[in-house]
C-alpha cells in the first residue's frame, strides 16, 4: 500500500473490455489510481455479444491441426465457420502463414502447456472479484453439452480432451449417447446422435458482467472515459497518453485494446500480429431454455442461456475489425443451428452483433512489459478473453505493483 506522504501511482488502461477493466480493478487492490480509456465505451469491442463461457477446461490454443482440415477453399466460403475474405491483404496473409505454422500437434501441445497455469487461476480470479464487491454473477453450468450428429464427429473432441488432460489441464467429462443428451437437454433435436457432458464450468452474461465490473471500478475511485488514444510517449518523467485533444500523464500505461492492440504497441517492440477474428451472435426465443451452454463443435456454433432467451454465436471471420456486420454470417449461423435445435425461433432474431476477438498466430496472449518498462500490454487472448480476463488482470497488476513477473506470464512475453 502507498505510504501516507507518497503520491499514489497512476496507471492509464487503454480498453474497457473484460481484460482492461479486470486489470484496473486488480490495480486498485494495490492502491493504484486508475483511468480507463476506450474508443467506444464499456464492453464496446469483443466483450458484449460473445458466448460468455468461463471454461478453463477447454481454453486451448486456436491454431490446431483440425483448423487446417477445413482447407483454403472451404475458408473462402461466406458460410464457412472459419472465413477468410478473398481480398485478404499482405498483413492478413502473414498472420495466416504464422497461424498455419503453429497448427501442428507439437506446437499445439507446447502452447497448451503454456496456458495450463493461467487456466488454473481463471475461476478463482472471478471469485476474488465477487468477494471484493463486484456484483456481476457467474452461473454454474449445471449442464454443458457438446453435441454431435455422429460418434465419428465426436471422436475428434475425445482425442482433444485427452490431449488437454495430458498437458496437465484438469477437465472432467462424461460420454453420452444422443438419447442421453436429449433427456438432459430437450432443446437438442433428433439429429443429435452423440454428446460429451463437461463438468465444473461456468458462464456469464458478458455485457452485463462487464458493465457491473465497470461500476465497481468507478465506485472505488477509478475514472472511465470515452476517447480514442492516438499516441503514447514515454520519453519524459511520466508516460503521456494522448486522447483526442487531451494528454494524460501517468506512471505506466496498459494497452488492453483488443483487436486494435497492434497499432499502439508496435512502436514499443511488439511485433506479433494481432488479427481480428470476428465472431457473430444473436438471441432467440426457445421453447426450453437450457440449464447451461450447448456447443456444436463440428459446426462451431455456441449457445448460451441468457435469461429467458438463447444466445447463438459462431464464426471466426479474419477481417478488419471496422468492417460492417455481414448478414450472410448471421444467416449462416442460423441455418447451421436450425436442424440441431428443437423449439428455437431462429427466424425472429434479436441483438444481432459482431465483435472482434484479438488473435495471435501462435494462439497465446500477449501479457507483460514491452521494450518500455512503463508500457505494458494485455491482449491477444483469441476466444478466451472472457475466461482469462480476471486472471490476466490479476497477474499483470501484480507485475506493476511488485516489479516481479509471475511465472504464469513467462510464456506470454509480448516481445517474443
Amino acid at each position: 500500500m502507498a505510504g501516507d506522504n507518497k503520491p499514489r501511482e497512476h496507471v492509464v488502461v487503454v480498453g474497457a473490455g473484460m481484460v482492461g477493466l479486470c486489470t484496473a480493478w486488480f490495480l486498485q487492490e494495490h492502491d493504484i489510481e486508475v483511468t480507463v480509456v476506450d474508443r467506444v465505451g464499456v464492453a464496446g469491442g469483443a466483450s458484449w455479444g460473445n458466448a460468455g463461457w468461463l471454461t478453463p477446461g477447454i481454453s486451448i490454443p486456436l491454431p490446431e491441426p483440425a483448423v487446417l482440415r477445413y482447407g483454403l477453399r472451404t475458408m473462402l466460403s461466406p458460410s464457412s465457420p472459419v472465413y477468410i475474405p478473398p481480398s485478404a491483404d499482405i498483413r492478413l496473409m502473414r498472420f495466416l502463414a504464422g497461424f498455419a505454422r503453429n497448427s501442428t500437434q507439437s506446437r499445439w501441445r507446447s502452447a497448451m502447456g503454456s496456458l495450463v497455469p493461467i487456466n488454473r487461476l481463471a475461476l478463482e480470479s472471478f471469485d476474488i472479484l465477487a468477494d471484493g464487491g463486484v456484483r456481476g454473477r457467474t452461473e454454474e453450468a449445471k449442464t454443458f453439452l457438446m453435441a454431435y450428429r455422429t460418434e465419428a464427429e465426436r471422436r475428434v473432441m475425445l482425442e482433444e480432451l485427452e490431449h488437454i488432460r495430458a498437458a496437465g489441464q484438469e477437465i472432467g467429462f462424461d460420454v453420452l449417447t444422443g438419447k442421453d443428451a436429449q433427456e438432459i437437454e430437450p432443446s437438442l433435436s433428433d439429429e443429435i446422435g452423440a454428446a460429451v457432458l463437461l463438468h465444473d464450468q461456468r458462464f456469464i452474461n458478458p455485457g452485463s458482467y462487464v458493465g457491473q465490473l465497470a461500476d465497481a471500478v468507478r465506485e472505488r475511485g477509478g475514472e472511465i472515459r470515452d476517447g480514442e488514444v492516438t499516441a503514447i510517449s514515454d520519453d519524459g518523467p511520466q508516460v503521456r497518453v494522448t486522447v483526442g485533444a487531451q494528454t494524460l500523464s501517468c506512471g505506466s500505461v496498459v494497452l488492453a485494446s483488443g483487436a486494435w492492440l497492434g497499432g499502439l504497441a508496435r512502436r514499443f517492440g511488439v511485433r506479433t500480429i494481432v488479427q481480428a477474428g470476428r465472431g457473430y451472435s444473436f438471441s432467440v426465443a426457445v421453447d426450453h431454455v437450457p440449464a447451461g451452454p450447448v456447443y456444436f463443435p463440428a459446426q462451431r456454433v455456441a449457445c448460451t442461456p441468457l435469461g429467458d432467451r438463447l444466445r447463438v454465436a459462431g464464426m471466426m471471420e479474419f477481417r478488419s475489425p471496422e468492417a460492417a456486420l455481414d448478414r450472410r454470417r448471421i444467416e449462416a449461423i442460423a441455418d447451421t443451428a436450425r436442424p440441431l435445435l428443437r423449439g428455437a425461433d431462429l427466424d425472429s432474431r434479436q441483438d444481432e452483433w459482431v465483435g472482434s476477438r484479438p488473435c495471435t498466430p501462435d494462439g497465446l496472449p500477449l501479457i507483460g512489459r514491452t521494450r518500455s518498462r512503463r508500457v505494458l500490454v494485455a491482449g491477444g487472448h483469441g476466444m478466451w478473453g472472457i475466461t482469462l480476463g480476471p486472471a490476466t488482470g490479476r497477474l499483470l497488476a501484480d507485475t506493476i505493483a511488485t516489479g516481479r513477473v509471475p511465472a504464469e506470464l513467462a510464456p506470454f512475453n509480448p516481445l517474443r
Side-chain angles (χ1 to χ4, degrees), residues 78-79 83 280 315 317 319 325-333 335:
S79 62
Y83 175 68
Y280 287 76
M315 287 286 165
E317 180 188 55
R319 201 172 183 181
L325 181 147
D326 189 332
R327 296 201 59 78
R328 293 177 299 175
R329 313 289 180 263
I330 295 285
E331 291 163 3
I333 295 170
D335 290 344

Side-chain angles (χ1 to χ4, degrees), residues 84-410:
I84 302 168
S87 58
D89 59 21
I90 292 175
R91 182 179 176 278
L92 175 54
M93 296 309 295
R94 284 179 52 219
F95 168 81
L96 293 172
F99 191 92
R101 283 195 302 272
N102 285 285
S103 295
T104 65
Q105 193 61 53
S106 61
R107 292 198 178 191
W108 183 93
R109 190 180 305 116
S110 175
M112 184 68 234
S114 296
L115 286 170
V116 168
I118 194 170
N119 284 345
R120 288 175 178 155
L121 300 178
L123 296 182
E124 73 174 47
S125 297
F126 275 94
D127 294 338
I128 291 172
L129 291 170
D131 292 342
V134 176
R135 290 185 291 274
R137 290 171 43 195
T138 67
E139 304 284 349
E140 178 188 357
K142 296 176 182 176
T143 61
F144 192 120
L145 283 165
M146 299 192 289
Y148 302 84
R149 281 191 167 99
T150 67
E151 292 182 4
E153 278 186 349
R154 182 179 63 188
R155 191 174 302 121
V156 173
M157 177 56 69
L158 292 178
E159 292 173 357
E160 189 167 90
L161 289 171
E162 291 306 322
H163 289 311
I164 291 171
R165 279 180 166 173
Q169 177 68 54
E170 295 180 7
I171 177 68
F173 62 91
D174 296 323
V175 179
L176 306 179
T177 66
K179 183 177 180 181
D180 290 338
Q182 288 150 7
E183 288 178 355
I184 292 171
E185 186 42 70
S187 62
L188 294 175
S189 78
D190 292 337
E191 293 270 329
I192 301 304
V196 175
L197 177 66
L198 293 183
H199 302 310
D200 303 320
Q201 310 301 304
R202 304 185 201 175
F203 65 97
I204 57 172
N205 180 328
S208 173
Y209 187 96
V210 174
Q212 289 168 314
L213 181 57
D215 290 342
V217 170
R218 291 190 188 99
E219 288 165 4
R220 304 203 307 175
E223 180 185 6
I224 301 176
R225 59 165 70 181
D226 296 349
E228 184 171 1
V229 174
T230 55
I232 297 172
S233 173
D234 70 336
D235 55 2
Q238 286 201 305
V239 180
R240 297 188 302 279
V241 180
T242 303
V243 186
Q246 293 185 310
T247 299
L248 304 178
S249 295
C250 58
S252 300
V253 61
V254 174
L255 305 180
S257 47
W260 292 266
L261 178 66
L264 291 171
R266 194 169 299 115
R267 72 172 292 243
F268 298 102
V270 179
R271 301 303 180 198
T272 300
I273 295 173
V274 179
Q275 170 63 44
R278 290 160 33 110
Y280 287 76
S281 73
F282 52 84
S283 72
V284 296
V286 61
D287 291 347
H288 178 272
V289 179
V294 174
Y295 184 33
F296 303 108
Q299 294 76 25
R300 296 183 180 262
V301 171
C303 305
T304 307
L306 298 180
D308 60 355
R309 296 180 69 80
L310 187 69
R311 174 167 290 171
V312 183
M315 287 286 165
M316 178 61 74
E317 180 188 55
F318 293 125
R319 201 172 183 181
S320 166
E322 284 87 8
L325 181 147
D326 189 332
R327 296 201 59 78
R328 293 177 299 175
R329 313 289 180 263
I330 295 285
E331 291 163 3
I333 295 170
D335 290 344
T336 298
R338 199 180 308 276
L340 305 175
L341 287 171
R342 190 195 311 272
D345 189 359
L346 291 159
D347 293 321
S348 298
R349 301 184 290 269
Q350 297 178 12
D351 308 315
E352 293 183 349
W353 173 88
V354 61
S356 295
R357 314 175 188 97
C359 301
T360 61
D362 62 5
L364 297 178
L366 305 167
I367 312 170
R369 298 188 191 278
T370 66
R371 198 165 53 200
S372 166
R373 288 185 58 80
R374 301 189 297 180
V375 179
L376 302 93
V377 299
H381 293 78
M383 296 172 61
W384 311 115
I386 294 294
T387 296
L388 297 179
T392 295
R394 175 183 171 188
L395 294 169
L396 194 61
D398 286 348
T399 299
I400 293 170
T402 68
R404 297 187 298 273
V405 178
E408 292 88 350
L409 294 187

